[in-house]
């Protein structure tokens, strides 16, 4: 090594594991969210036993082929991992934080957030779920993030146990989401789920709720034919058996009101299922969006609001915006002035 190189060399060792390579899940009250594409289409298996059949689905021009690995198709309960990752990333995005396709989380936190068993069997089930998610391959022309995708991909690209305890329990897990899922997150093609989703015991209950959340949404009610509901659920039962399973869920819901957000009824004459909004889900107006601010405006904002984090003020301003401003810089500075005036008035 030359003398010049020795002089210029940093006294610090190289950062071998830069934090920017992955997103660390540390938001304990993240609202559950799921991507809309897999809420509408039957990506996940309803079976609690290994499901190794190849499933093909076509509806309104959308074609999907779901192919399992030797471990079987990813199940509705395996989906909890994706919901947890999506929820964490969406909360971070809404708070103005940077995110990445690689997501790192504590296994215990994920199990608690999704109401799963935290005993040894819970960690074993989590590892098996990761294997099924990575092994399930999808070929589709579903559009996410404004892109029409014609290719084969996994629900997750990879999964790695970063740390493991002596008794074999996972401490940290790193999951790399597929481009398909990450495109949906960046484009905010997600919907909020009721927290009681994780308390639903039956895979069919979870799937029916997802479909209602996607299609009924904030409407007062929504109706679907039983045969189409079966198709969207991805049920392999006969129509007669599927009707019996749905009727069991309806009877239990009439007794316990246990289905989140929507009550369910069957019109046996029309052979349709009616979902009625319990008024927990309300229409959300689209949020006004302001363009990126000119960099010079932040210095002026610091002068108007001394001692305050101007980037925090910007996030507050963007969440408050009633409509897109014609002059975003002037609007932001006006917000800073009012912010300081309110601070003075409130002591």
């Amino acid at each position: 090594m030359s003398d010049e190189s020795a002089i210029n060399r940093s006294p610090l060792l190289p950062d071998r594991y830069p934090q920017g390579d992955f997103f660390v899940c540390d938001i304990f009250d993240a609202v559950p969210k799921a991507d809309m594409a897999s809420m509408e289409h039957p990506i996940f298996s309803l079976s609690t036993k290994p499901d190794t059949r190849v499933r093909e689905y076509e509806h309104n021009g959308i074609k999907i082929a779901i192919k399992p690995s030797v471990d079987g198709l990813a199940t509705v309960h395996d989906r909890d991992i994706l919901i947890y990752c999506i929820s964490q990333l969406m909360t971070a995005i809404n708070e103005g934080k940077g995110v990445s396709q690689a997501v790192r989380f504590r296994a215990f936190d994920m199990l608690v957030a999704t109401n799963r068993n935290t005993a040894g069997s819970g960690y074993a089930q989590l590892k098996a779920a990761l294997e099924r998610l990575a092994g399930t391959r999808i070929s589709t022309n579903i559009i996410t993030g404004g892109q029409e995708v014609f290719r084969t991909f996994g629900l997750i690209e990879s999964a790695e146990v970063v740390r493991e305890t002596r008794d074999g329990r996972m401490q940290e897990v790193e999951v790399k989401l597929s481009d398909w899922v990450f495109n949906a997150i960046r484009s905010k093609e997600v919907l909020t789920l009721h927290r009681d989703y994780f308390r639903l015991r039956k895979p069919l209950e979870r799937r029916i709720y997802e479909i209602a959340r996607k299609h009924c949404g904030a409407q007062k009610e929504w109706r679907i034919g039983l045969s189409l509901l079966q198709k969207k659920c991805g049920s392999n039962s006969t129509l007669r058996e599927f009707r019996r399973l749905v009727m069991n869920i309806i009877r239990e819901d009439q007794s316990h009101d246990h289905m989140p957000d929507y009550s369910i009824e069957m019109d046996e004459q029309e052979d349709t299922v009616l979902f009625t909004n319990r008024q927990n889900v309300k229409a959300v107006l689209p949020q006004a969006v302001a363009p990126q601010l000119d960099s010079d405006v932040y210095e002026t904002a610091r002068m108007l609001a001394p001692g305050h984090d101007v980037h925090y003020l910007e996030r507050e301003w963007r969440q408050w915006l009633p409509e897109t401003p014609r002059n975003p810089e002037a609007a932001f500075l006006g917000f800073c002035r009012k912010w300081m005036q309110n601070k003075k008035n409130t002591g």
Side-chain angles (χ1 to χ4, degrees), residues 196-245:
D196 283 350
Y197 170 86
F198 297 117
R199 298 180 63 196
L200 294 175
R201 296 176 184 273
K202 302 173 184 176
L204 183 58
E205 288 178 327
R206 292 189 174 205
R207 182 67 191 127
I208 286 176
Y209 168 75
E210 290 174 0
I211 293 169
R213 182 68 188 89
K214 173 64 173 65
H215 291 282
C216 188
Q219 300 176 78
K220 183 178 179 181
E221 61 183 33
W222 176 68
R223 189 183 299 268
I224 184 174
L226 185 69
S227 59
L228 180 55
L229 180 63
Q230 180 185 19
K231 181 180 179 181
K232 282 184 168 290
C233 285
S235 171
N236 201 34
S237 303
T238 64
L239 184 61
R240 181 178 180 180
E241 174 64 9
F242 183 73
R243 182 183 290 107
R244 185 188 70 81
L245 294 172

Side-chain angles (χ1 to χ4, degrees), residues 32-36 39 188-193 213-214:
K33 293 183 185 290
D35 66 291
M36 290 190 281
M39 290 177 74
K188 298 190 176 181
E189 294 172 355
V190 300
L191 286 174
T192 299
L193 304 180
R213 182 68 188 89
K214 173 64 173 65

Side-chain angles (χ1 to χ4, degrees), residues 168-187:
R169 296 188 183 188
M170 289 176 278
Q171 289 186 336
E172 286 192 355
V173 179
E174 186 174 317
V175 172
K176 186 177 181 182
L177 301 176
S178 68
D179 292 342
W180 181 61
V181 172
F182 197 59
N183 283 342
I185 294 169
R186 288 188 299 186
S187 303

Side-chain angles (χ1 to χ4, degrees), residues 4-123:
E4 184 177 350
S5 297
I7 293 172
N8 294 330
R9 186 180 63 178
S10 170
L12 297 174
L13 288 171
D15 186 356
R16 298 187 177 93
Y17 312 103
Q19 292 288 317
D21 288 349
F22 55 85
F23 173 81
V24 178
C25 296
D26 59 357
I27 304 166
F28 298 104
D29 57 350
V31 178
K33 293 183 185 290
D35 66 291
M36 290 190 281
S38 60
M39 290 177 74
E40 180 169 359
H41 306 294
I43 304 295
F44 298 90
S45 172
L46 300 175
S47 178
T48 55
K49 298 178 181 178
D51 186 349
T52 56
R53 64 193 175 98
V54 176
R55 179 189 301 165
E56 293 183 348
Y57 168 88
E58 182 175 354
H59 185 66
N60 290 341
I62 299 296
K63 298 178 181 179
I64 307 173
I66 306 108
K67 302 174 184 178
S69 67
V70 293
D71 298 310
L73 292 169
T75 71
V76 167
H77 287 282
D78 297 342
R79 179 179 172 80
D80 290 356
I81 298 170
L82 287 181
I83 292 174
Y84 181 74
C85 293
I86 292 170
S87 307
Q88 291 278 326
L89 292 176
M90 285 307 305
T91 301
I93 288 172
N94 291 334
E95 292 179 355
K97 298 177 181 178
V99 298
S100 74
Q101 207 160 335
V103 179
R104 182 173 289 191
F105 58 86
R106 291 181 63 231
F108 178 82
D109 292 341
M110 180 268 160
L111 294 174
V112 170
T114 56
N115 198 44
R116 295 167 74 102
N117 176 20
T118 57
S121 59
Y123 292 86

Side-chain angles (χ1 to χ4, degrees), residues 256-303:
H256 304 285
D257 289 334
H258 74 294
M259 291 295 288
D261 293 331
Y262 309 97
S263 61
I264 315 175
E265 299 175 45
M266 173 77 82
D267 185 332
E268 296 191 52
Q269 287 187 336
E270 298 290 334
D271 212 22
T272 59
V273 179
L274 175 66
F275 294 90
T276 304
N277 192 339
R278 299 187 195 273
Q279 301 306 310
N280 294 330
V281 180
K282 301 184 185 299
V284 179
L285 296 175
Q287 186 176 349
V289 178
Q292 188 71 30
L293 297 177
D294 188 86
S295 58
D296 294 340
V297 78
Y298 296 109
E299 192 59 38
T300 307
R302 291 186 182 94
M303 294 172 63

